Amino acid sequence: SAGLISISTSSEAEISPDVADISFSIKTYDSKSMQKASLMNKDISEKVYNILKEMINTSNGDYIKTSNFNASPVYIYKDKKQILDKYQVSNRVTVHTQAIDKLGGMIDKSIEAGATNVDSLNFSISNYESQCNTLIEKAAKKANARASIAAKSSGTVLDGIQNMNISCSENKNYSAPRY
């Protein structure tokens, strides 16, 4: 009768992130004119966009995009009446870059140019799939070696694999550079 050897192994690797996505918001206000608030926002957004464009390398997949444009009146309540307070215009500039070493400069220069906020900063690994495949191969070899040792020391031989559960997971506890 066929016997069964059950082996559990895992492989880990500490891989530094090599890609960052950083979003800057630009908010402008004017008390009298939506058009004025929009023009100010357009001017600042272009400055931020151009500064960031100088700091990235588009030939390796880096890019910049703008999104989430919004223009709206802002009201306040005074003596139980709704009163127009100002016009607000917001826009977002997002950078996808491998120039992780330049993030501090990107933040400083964008804020200097008028960006009002760093909305998000996310790190990732560009070659995640290939890293995952390498770890799976390593774990499978380790499992096979251990199963062979167990079979040999119990006076039997391996006759194949009954089942294998494989998963790859990313623990995103990257230590973000401090700026």
Side-chain angles (χ1 to χ4, degrees):
S1 74
L4 188 64
I5 296 172
S6 181
I7 301 290
S8 176
T9 66
S10 66
S11 284
E12 290 181 11
E14 198 165 301
I15 303 158
S16 294
D18 59 351
V19 178
D21 289 279
I22 183 166
S23 288
F24 299 93
S25 61
I26 294 121
K27 289 183 182 174
T28 50
Y29 306 92
D30 191 81
S31 58
K32 293 181 177 66
S33 164
M34 178 74 82
Q35 187 181 11
K36 215 174 197 180
S38 293
L39 288 171
M40 269 193 295
N41 195 289
K42 182 178 183 278
D43 183 47
I44 295 169
S45 295
E46 282 177 4
K47 273 186 201 161
V48 171
Y49 187 97
N50 289 330
I51 284 166
L52 294 170
K53 195 172 182 188
E54 290 294 311
M55 300 178 83
I56 65 167
N57 180 359
T58 53
S59 65
N60 71 5
D62 288 7
Y63 61 84
I64 304 174
K65 66 180 181 179
T66 58
S67 62
N68 293 28
F69 180 84
N70 185 21
S72 59
V74 176
Y75 295 96
I76 57 168
Y77 286 89
K78 199 171 184 180
D79 300 326
K80 296 184 182 177
K81 288 182 186 168
Q82 185 175 317
I83 301 167
L84 176 67
D85 182 44
K86 60 192 165 198
Y87 294 98
Q88 174 185 300
V89 177
S90 60
N91 197 7
R92 178 175 289 148
V93 177
T94 302
V95 185
H96 175 87
T97 183
Q98 290 186 30
I100 288 181
D101 56 324
K102 293 182 181 173
L103 288 176
M106 287 179 185
I107 291 168
D108 292 344
K109 289 182 177 179
S110 294
I111 300 293
E112 259 174 51
T116 45
N117 224 33
V118 177
D119 284 345
S120 65
L121 174 55
N122 297 307
F123 294 96
S124 57
I125 299 162
S126 62
N127 61 345
Y128 177 74
E129 279 305 310
S130 109
Q131 296 282 355
C132 181
N133 292 344
T134 300
L135 289 171
I136 288 170
E137 184 180 353
K138 204 171 166 183
K141 283 180 179 172
K142 201 191 302 185
N144 188 39
R146 288 183 180 174
S148 295
I149 290 167
K152 188 177 176 186
S153 40
S154 61
T156 186
V157 290
L158 290 179
D159 189 27
I161 296 169
Q162 186 176 30
N163 81 30
M164 198 183 261
N165 292 321
I166 296 172
S167 70
C168 224
S169 65
E170 190 177 0
N171 177 359
K172 290 190 173 188
N173 290 338
Y174 305 135
S175 55
R178 300 251 179 259
Y179 300 113

